[in-house]
Amino acid sequence: MNIEKLNAIIKANQNPLPFANSKAQEDFWDNEHISKMMLMAHLNPNWDAASRRPETIEATCNWILSALELKPHQSLLDLGCGPGLYASRFCEQGLDVTGIDYSKRSIHYAIEQAQREKQAIEYRYENYLDLEEALLYDVVTLIYCDFGSLSLTYRKQLLNKIHAALKPGGHFVFDVWSTAHKDLTSTYKNWVNHEKQGFWKPTPHLELIHKTYDQALALSLKQHIIVEAETDVHVFNLWQQCYTLESITALLNDHDFEVLALVGDLTGVAYTPDSQSIGIIARKK
Ligand SMILES: C[S@@+](CC[C@H](N)C(=O)[O-])C[C@H]1O[C@@H](n2cnc3c(N)ncnc32)[C@H](O)[C@@H]1O
């Protein structure tokens, strides 16, 4: 390995600023190889990596439908809908569903699937941070803790966009990881030698993983440093802002939302101090 590569690894690993090289800034969701691996992960029923398992998705949709007493033809916008695993279930229950995602591959899959199933779901390839709609939806969902992967600036921007897009009294339903999350709040290093391909690259590479947690900021970083023979070192920083019941309530209140329910996850299980996530129903004030 040459000295430039070693320096790049050391530099990447030295206390990056919060949300540097994050998924939002990186060629991440639309990268040819990563989006292929991501779609495989979404569709794998035995793997919770990108989407939750089918039975959890079913239970989540059922809980949201009953907690909000949703009726046919109420409108739901699913942000970061991925391949439409939730959107299709909400549509089956009679809701008017729109799904937005930033991965072309996932949106294409969702559109094809809706055509096959003859479901009238509007899917759009769009960055939800650019959402420009007003007073349209009864419910907005953002499922699988993607909220905490955004920088605080983007989280605030998104809350304002969602507030504008909801009808008066409309609901925002989402989840975040809690400060009790075992993996996110732990620290470790690991090396993985991918002899053929890995999640991040289709060619042989070495992956250096460094997991850290800043307790004062409740901020988790899982850093994947990819070292290949020929190309520059590539860094993927997976940041997650973890929350307590108090900190997520304060953020929502600051953005004109009233918190109606805080649960352990979006299947509606009760929250306990050991809950790994927090499921939230908030109402536009
Ligand atoms: C962890 S996955 C969850 C997908 C889906 N909600 C689920 O649980 O099956 C996050 C999804 O958000 C999408 N996404 C991330 N940032 C986005 C953005 N800025 N605008 C639109 N979609 C985004 C990704 O493409 C990905 O499909």
Side-chain angles (χ1 to χ4, degrees):
M1 189 184 308
N2 65 31
I3 191 74
E4 282 83 16
K5 266 194 186 159
L6 271 177
N7 282 337
I9 295 169
I10 292 164
K11 189 162 166 252
N13 198 227
Q14 275 170 343
N15 297 326
L17 285 172
F19 294 93
N21 285 92
S22 75
K23 288 189 288 183
Q25 292 155 26
E26 273 289 329
D27 162 31
F28 182 88
W29 296 110
D30 249 345
N31 174 287
E32 177 62 22
H33 175 71
I34 297 172
S35 70
K36 194 193 286 176
M37 302 301 278
M38 192 69 78
L39 182 57
M40 274 170 51
H42 279 302
L43 300 178
N44 184 334
N46 302 313
W47 198 21
D48 266 336
S51 293
R52 293 196 169 98
R53 287 157 211 254
E55 54 276 20
T56 311
I57 295 176
E58 195 72 39
T60 298
C61 293
N62 289 342
W63 183 70
I64 295 172
L65 285 160
S66 75
L68 297 181
E69 298 181 2
L70 292 173
K71 305 274 179 305
H73 296 301
Q74 286 196 279
S75 49
L76 181 144
L77 170 65
D78 189 20
L79 299 175
C81 63
L85 304 176
Y86 294 83
S88 60
R89 285 170 172 82
F90 285 127
C91 177
E92 264 169 29
Q93 298 305 316
L95 298 185
D96 293 343
V97 182
T98 304
I100 289 181
D101 203 281
Y102 208 19
S103 158
K104 278 198 194 84
R105 199 182 289 275
S106 283
I107 280 289
H108 282 159
Y109 177 92
I111 290 171
E112 280 178 11
Q113 193 65 15
Q115 283 166 349
R116 259 196 299 275
E117 301 293 326
K118 302 200 176 5
Q119 290 188 314
I121 302 173
E122 182 189 349
Y123 283 116
R124 304 203 302 253
Y125 171 67
E126 191 176 305
N127 183 346
Y128 52 52
L129 294 168
D130 296 334
L131 189 67
E132 287 297 346
E133 291 179 319
L135 307 172
L136 269 187
Y137 302 102
D138 294 298
V139 188
V140 173
T141 52
L142 176 64
I143 299 174
Y144 216 2
C145 301
D146 231 38
F147 186 73
S149 69
L150 302 170
S151 68
L152 182 58
T153 307
Y154 284 154
R155 267 174 273 150
K156 290 178 167 188
Q157 179 177 329
L158 186 58
L159 286 176
N160 290 333
K161 301 263 180 193
I162 292 169
H163 195 276
L166 281 169
K167 293 178 185 172
H171 295 96
F172 175 37
V173 182
F174 70 114
D175 49 3
V176 293
W177 297 119
S178 81
T179 51
H181 194 285
K182 286 201 178 64
D183 185 63
L184 290 179
T185 57
S186 63
T187 294
Y188 54 81
K189 286 182 174 169
N190 191 15
W191 290 19
V192 187
N193 184 21
H194 298 280
E195 286 178 9
K196 292 193 176 121
Q197 65 161 352
F199 187 85
W200 305 101
K201 292 278 172 180
T203 43
H205 59 275
L206 176 66
E207 178 181 12
L208 310 177
I209 299 167
H210 189 191
K211 179 73 207 45
T212 53
Y213 183 65
D214 182 328
Q215 196 152 7
L217 297 177
L219 185 60
S220 160
L221 169 61
K222 191 168 187 187
Q223 186 168 60
H224 300 259
I225 301 177
I226 307 300
V227 187
E228 293 177 291
E230 303 299 334
T231 58
D232 289 344
V233 168
H234 205 126
V235 183
F236 294 96
N237 284 342
L238 305 190
W239 297 94
Q240 272 294 343
Q241 180 66 57
C242 299
Y243 281 96
T244 60
L245 300 184
E246 293 74 24
S247 60
I248 193 62
T249 301
L251 183 65
L252 287 162
N253 288 343
D254 278 352
H255 289 78
D256 264 340
F257 284 98
E258 177 191 1
V259 173
L260 298 187
L262 295 169
V263 284
D265 64 37
L266 290 177
T267 67
V269 296
Y271 179 85
T272 72
D274 294 331
S275 292
Q276 304 290 287
S277 64
I278 306 174
I280 302 127
I281 299 181
R283 181 166 55 199
K284 172 176 174 162
K285 281 190 196 164

